[in-house]
Amino acid sequence: MTPKDFMPRTPAGRAAILAIIASGAVGFGVARLTEHAATPSTANTAAPAAKDKPLYWYDPMVPTQHFDKPGKSPFMDMQLIPKYADGSGEAGSGNAASVSIDPMASQALGLRTVSVRRGTLGSSLAATGTIDFNQRDVAIVQARSGGFVQRVYTRAPGDVIRAGAPLADILVPDWGGAQDEYLAVRRTRNVALTQAARQRLSLLGMPPGLIASVEQSGHPRTTVTITTPTGGVIKTLGVRAGMTVAAGQTLAEVDGLNTVWLNAAVPEASAGALKPGQSAQATLAAFPGEAFTGRISAILPDVAADSRTLTVRIELPNRNGRLRPGMFANVTFGGDTRSALLVPSEALIRTGERTLVMLADGKGHYQPAEVQVGHEAGDDSEILAGLSEGETIVASGQFLIDSEASLAGIAARPIGASSAGSVPAPSKSSPTLYETTGTIEELKSDSVTLSHEPVPAIGWPAMTMGFALPDANIGRGFKVGDRVRFGFDHPNDGPTVHRMTKVGQ
């Protein structure tokens, strides 16, 4: 039987076999590159005999299964690969300090490194939403007294009307007698009685305009025209010719159009960065190339269980009534920019339990390090703890190295641990800083008291406390009440602020 007989006859089957072979080849290649890098490269260095002996053999397709002797893999039709101890570890331990890869092999694997840098982080949160009526701008039109509808004007639900537009003429018989009495008292020229009679007309529900008309004409008027107090869209219309209306009966509801609400669905994980009063921009397909600017008026308290999103209400001015409820919009939330420690988002290795990056020393040695990640903006992610400015990390190809590090049992550098002796060793002038936001309560030349937000990286809750200032210039230009973003370390002699930048109020 030939290998051809084992090949599946369907194209899908052949593609699956080719994918398995290709992935096996990648694992084999990484293993061979690592083994080659672990071999001493200088001729005058005598390696211990134990390092020439493999620790174990393994199948790159099932790297967790170890074998104590060479041979064929029971899983794949290929030879087992020997695993050697790294030059920085001890033979047989499997706990090397770092992964070593020859620079030529790094180039072949497409590894790319970048430096951890300090930059400006701005808000780039985007969401989608729909236009809705401003429910605070709703007018209810009611009958002030019982009567009969004599005439209705040509209105219908959905019509856009201006303020003061007539809806219906209503005959109110009860007003006739009260108006005759008022005119009779008015002819007596008794001021007190006249004012009392006029007050009675108001209490019966007569609008001021109707009372003024009676005074000018000297004749009673029992028919009143019902008008809309504001302009907008007729939501409901409950008045028809010939019907009888009671006092307080709702005749119409009008939704205003001067401003509208844009209800945006924001993911629960991102909603913490938003606050009322923050600016937002909306673009609509109906108006390409035009942006509508508004502000967050409210963040609704409930979360949609199916989509895990919060509704953020943005109030937009609606000039000329162009924004119509139901329109779809793309929303970008603006925010204050601030200084932050940044790395490319593609450099992060998210395991589900923690987030790692791969440190590099530029000499072919790599070590995983755990980091605390903050907000993302564009292609960059904020690092709250675990890295220092100037350290070098792998931005492309780090997953291959992480697999090799896991296979060799290399422990990741924990957050807050000293990086001395690890890969790479940062400069003493760049301590690991923790970032948070706070308000200045007291400011002196050598200290500052801050009411700050929680610091998850070291388990601090929100509180007010004092920090040392190693340099008086750090606090120069700030005053009590300023909202600041600051970075601090936590040596044995107390927390010390090394950097402060002002953020928007």
Side-chain angles (χ1 to χ4, degrees):
M1 186 173 293
T2 65
K4 185 176 181 181
D5 297 326
F6 291 97
M7 184 63 70
R9 290 181 172 83
T10 65
R14 288 195 293 271
I17 291 297
L18 291 174
I20 294 173
I21 294 173
S23 59
V26 170
F28 178 81
V30 173
R32 295 301 299 168
L33 291 169
T34 308
E35 294 158 19
H36 175 72
T39 304
S41 58
T42 54
N44 58 355
T45 303
K51 293 186 179 179
D52 294 332
K53 182 180 179 180
L55 299 174
Y56 52 83
W57 285 260
Y58 69 98
D59 184 339
M61 299 303 298
V62 190
T64 57
Q65 183 70 43
H66 299 169
F67 301 90
D68 56 2
K69 59 182 179 180
K72 243 182 189 181
S73 169
F75 310 107
M76 297 289 293
D77 187 16
M78 60 184 297
Q79 293 294 324
L80 296 173
I81 298 172
K83 175 64 181 177
Y84 295 92
D86 188 86
S88 57
E90 296 183 3
S93 68
N95 292 322
S98 63
V99 176
S100 298
I101 298 181
D102 185 89
M104 294 297 293
S106 300
Q107 196 171 32
L109 290 173
L111 299 184
R112 179 171 56 86
T113 60
V114 296
S115 295
V116 181
R117 74 185 195 281
R118 181 157 298 279
T120 300
L121 184 72
S123 174
S124 62
L125 177 60
T128 58
T130 54
I131 302 294
D132 194 8
F133 288 110
N134 184 345
Q135 298 302 320
R136 296 192 181 98
D137 187 13
V138 178
I140 305 296
V141 183
Q142 293 181 323
R144 295 191 174 189
S145 183
F148 309 96
V149 178
Q150 285 189 324
R151 174 189 176 188
V152 293
Y153 294 82
T154 55
R155 310 294 182 196
D159 287 352
V160 178
I161 57 176
R162 57 177 175 79
L167 294 177
D169 291 341
I170 297 180
L171 173 64
V172 185
D174 294 342
W175 286 355
Q179 291 176 2
D180 284 334
E181 181 181 340
Y182 168 66
L183 292 174
V185 172
R186 191 166 179 263
R187 285 193 290 268
T188 65
R189 301 184 182 278
N190 187 316
V191 177
L193 291 177
T194 301
Q195 289 181 345
R198 195 178 196 281
Q199 182 67 21
R200 183 180 175 224
L201 298 184
S202 298
L203 294 176
L204 289 174
M206 296 182 199
L210 180 63
I211 297 176
S213 177
V214 171
E215 291 174 340
Q216 291 176 0
S217 65
H219 299 286
R221 290 190 56 186
T222 56
T223 300
V224 60
T225 299
I226 304 298
T227 60
T228 59
T230 63
V233 179
I234 298 178
K235 182 179 180 180
T236 61
L237 184 64
V239 57
R240 294 291 183 268
M243 68 182 293
T244 301
V245 296
Q249 181 176 337
T250 298
L251 305 180
E253 292 184 34
V254 180
D255 288 324
L257 285 177
N258 291 327
T259 59
V260 292
W261 282 349
L262 172 55
N263 294 322
V266 177
E268 176 185 2
S270 303
L274 302 178
K275 57 185 178 181
Q278 189 172 335
S279 64
Q281 279 196 337
T283 57
L284 292 84
F287 308 104
E290 186 174 357
F292 297 84
T293 302
R295 292 195 174 274
I296 297 176
S297 61
I299 300 176
L300 302 192
D302 56 332
V303 178
D306 53 349
S307 61
R308 307 309 305 171
T309 57
L310 279 80
T311 299
V312 177
R313 180 181 295 160
I314 303 158
E315 189 166 320
L316 297 175
N318 188 19
R319 299 178 182 87
N320 302 322
R322 295 194 302 161
L323 299 179
R324 303 298 178 94
M327 285 183 171
F328 181 83
N330 291 304
V331 189
T332 302
F333 295 94
D336 301 308
T337 59
R338 54 184 172 83
S339 176
L341 206 61
L342 301 177
V343 299
S345 298
E346 61 176 335
L348 302 178
I349 303 172
R350 304 180 189 270
T351 67
E353 297 180 354
R354 59 181 181 173
T355 303
L356 303 173
V357 296
M358 197 62 61
L359 296 169
D361 67 350
K363 300 177 181 179
H365 296 87
Y366 304 89
Q367 179 196 5
E370 186 176 355
V371 295
Q372 178 81 26
V373 182
H375 296 295
E376 294 188 17
D379 297 329
D380 293 325
S381 292
E382 178 187 15
I383 299 298
L384 300 177
L387 288 176
S388 297
E389 185 177 356
E391 288 189 291
T392 303
I393 63 172
V394 180
S396 177
Q398 70 273 22
F399 292 98
L400 295 175
I401 306 176
D402 181 55
S403 298
E404 188 66 18
S406 299
L407 187 65
I410 299 173
R413 188 180 78 184
I415 294 177
S418 171
S419 57
S422 64
V423 182
S427 167
K428 292 183 179 179
S429 61
S430 300
T432 299
L433 299 183
Y434 305 100
E435 295 270 353
T436 189
T437 303
T439 302
I440 297 177
E441 303 293 343
E442 184 180 5
L443 181 62
K444 300 180 180 179
S445 60
D446 59 348
S447 67
V448 60
T449 301
L450 292 160
S451 176
H452 64 78
E453 296 177 357
V455 188
I458 53 179
W460 282 8
M463 56 183 171
T464 300
M465 61 180 296
F467 295 82
L469 290 178
D471 186 351
N473 290 326
I474 297 176
R476 194 179 303 278
F478 295 93
K479 65 181 184 302
V480 173
D482 282 350
R483 186 77 172 165
V484 296
R485 181 80 180 178
F486 64 97
F488 69 95
D489 62 354
H490 195 15
N492 294 330
D493 55 350
T496 303
V497 172
H498 292 274
R499 179 177 57 254
M500 277 199 308
T501 56
K502 189 178 296 186
V503 299
Q505 298 298 321

